[in-house]
Amino acid sequence: MADTAMRRRAIGIAALVRAIRPGMPGGVPLRYATIAGVPQVRLVRYAGLAGAALLSVAAYLGGARPQLQVPPVRVWNAEHAPVILISWLIGTALMTGAWWAARDRVPSTRWAYVTAGLWLLPLLVAPALESRDVYSYACQGDVYAAGHNPYDVSAADLPCQWLDTVSPVWRDTPAPYGPLFVLIAGAAATVGGSLSVTIVLLRMVALVGVGLAAVSLPVLAKRCGVPESRALWLALACPLVGVHLVSGAHNDALMIGLMVAGLALVSPRTRWHLVGGGALLGLAVLVKATAVVVVPFAALAAAVGPHPVRALVREGSFVVGGALAAVFGVTLGSGLGFGWVGALKYSEDTVLWTSPSTAVGQTIEYAGRLFGAHFDAVPVTRVLGMVTLAVVLVVLWWQTPPRDAHYGAGLALAATVALGPVFQPWYAIWPLAILAATASRIQWFAAPCAVICFLVLPDGTGVARLTRFPGALAMTALVIGFCVMAWRRHRPLSHLARSPVWAASSPPRQRSPQPVASGESRGHC
């Protein structure tokens, strides 16, 4: 009797704890949880919407407006500086907090669509926020519309009619983007005529990319056994999407949309699907070359059968062939040639500690100055980072079985972001969009995205530019800590993908079924 009473008491206590902490596995779902009698589902939706509205206020008062004063007036010296900074800080905190609160217990797919759409509306009609890149896009399109090759002629060489809106660091730089985006920017400049209309058209292009991802994410998530609602929420409701892809109109939106659609199309594995998926991935490369790291994993996803190597050659060739056909077709058809490949080097002109390899080089330089030595270590550490990235990508591809290829693509993008020579906050959306639909554990990539939301001020001033020395030291300390932790664990690069390609035909180890908490999935695709 005593044992029975104690057991009942323990069950009652566990139920009470789950009710108090609804985020725990087995706790109260978001749709049923309340705070002070108010449903949490409403609090999350309207807290994020209030945050988006505050960010739009910050954009109107002190965003990246076309008028660029010389010398530039920083946001903290602007006319409405307190209102701008408070609106930005509270707005970002509300959006980020609401996104994080519902990360693993989204009520439904429809709720995710509606809530993310509501959050995007205030930013869709606001001026550009936290970046001036859209003005560079407009000028590159203007150069192409004037009959010049943007890979040979910079905005300052023409000069572009909107040159005074472009950040000085990019005025003499050729376009570092693929020919597909140059064609789109040229069409926007030609049809728009004025800067404001051109910006609106470029924002519509970014919105098309977000919409393409919104349509494709459920397909990819279903293929990988991940809840569709959670994938949509993580990828679409993240504040980085509204601020940088919609308000900032970054061309990353189109690249991500094409990339997610290509991976989703590869899933059915019919040959026409494989060719079409490869072509979409090729178009993504023609917007930004970064998408090329996904192509080998898409080919690997097609290699399913009793003979993986033979399937990789037979089926994977359709994916690679579709991508190559798109790249060569658009590049040659545009008349721009392959100058865009050489122009990629100009994207490395920015030196910020947000890139780990750059931060390590800066720290070495600071240490050298203590002893009176002056040298340039950043180029060396960046080369080491790129070499490490190449090794990581090869090993990751080799270690990933075909059934986990989509997840491997997300890991490859995460490695590219972490080891690349330059990092901008919107780069974090590259792996986020793929991992949201393929990963079973989300905290390891969602938490950094939440922190990254605070790295740029409303006018585009990066916090990294204001904290060069302490930021470099802090990032270097993180790199050292990560390396020490990895060394102690003695795990391979991808401990979740244990089998090489040639051994992927072995049947997976059978595990006894276990209950899965709401918002979680059983594994990777």
Side-chain angles (χ1 to χ4, degrees), residues 206-367:
L207 199 61
V208 168
V210 174
L212 190 58
V215 172
S216 305
L217 278 168
V219 179
L220 187 59
K222 186 176 181 179
R223 160 72 175 84
C224 298
V226 170
E228 299 172 24
S229 57
R230 195 203 71 179
L232 289 168
W233 179 254
L234 290 175
L236 299 182
C238 179
L240 294 173
V241 174
V243 170
H244 294 293
L245 298 192
V246 176
S247 178
H250 278 102
N251 55 10
D252 302 70
L254 184 59
M255 181 198 75
I256 290 170
L258 292 168
M259 194 165 55
V260 175
L263 287 174
L265 195 59
V266 166
S267 298
R269 300 190 194 93
T270 65
R271 291 187 175 180
W272 285 110
H273 282 95
L274 297 179
V275 174
L280 288 175
L281 293 175
L283 294 177
V285 174
L286 290 166
V287 175
K288 266 194 167 182
T290 311
V292 73
V293 302
V294 176
V295 176
F297 292 90
L300 185 62
V304 177
H307 304 286
V309 176
R310 188 183 305 171
L312 178 62
V313 175
R314 183 181 63 250
E315 309 296 343
S317 61
F318 288 97
V319 177
V320 177
L324 291 176
V327 169
F328 280 92
V330 174
T331 300
L332 298 178
S334 66
L336 295 171
F338 287 90
W340 62 281
V341 178
L344 294 175
K345 63 182 179 181
Y346 295 107
S347 61
E348 301 180 9
D349 291 345
T350 305
V351 180
L352 297 173
W353 59 259
T354 47
S355 163
S357 61
T358 300
V360 172
Q362 289 176 312
T363 302
I364 294 174
E365 292 176 0
Y366 293 142

Side-chain angles (χ1 to χ4, degrees), residues 176-203:
Y177 310 114
L180 176 61
F181 185 73
V182 170
L183 292 175
I184 293 173
T190 301
V191 175
S194 65
L195 177 63
S196 58
V197 178
T198 302
I199 298 303
V200 169
L201 293 176
L202 289 172
R203 185 171 287 183

Side-chain angles (χ1 to χ4, degrees), residues 83-135:
V83 177
I84 296 170
L85 292 175
I86 292 175
S87 298
W88 169 79
L89 184 60
I90 296 179
T92 304
L94 284 174
M95 283 194 76
T96 305
W99 174 69
W100 181 262
R103 66 193 182 279
D104 54 0
R105 48 198 180 104
V106 185
S108 66
T109 299
R110 182 179 181 275
W111 186 88
Y113 273 128
V114 173
T115 305
L118 285 175
W119 291 11
L120 296 181
L121 282 178
L123 298 169
L124 180 63
V125 298
L129 186 65
E130 299 189 11
S131 174
R132 307 189 65 84
D133 283 5
V134 68
Y135 306 121

Side-chain angles (χ1 to χ4, degrees), residues 447-476:
C449 288
V451 176
I452 290 168
C453 293
F454 295 88
L455 286 183
V456 186
L457 299 177
D459 65 341
T461 301
V463 175
R465 294 185 182 276
L466 309 176
T467 57
R468 294 180 184 271
F469 179 71
L473 294 182
M475 179 61 76
T476 302

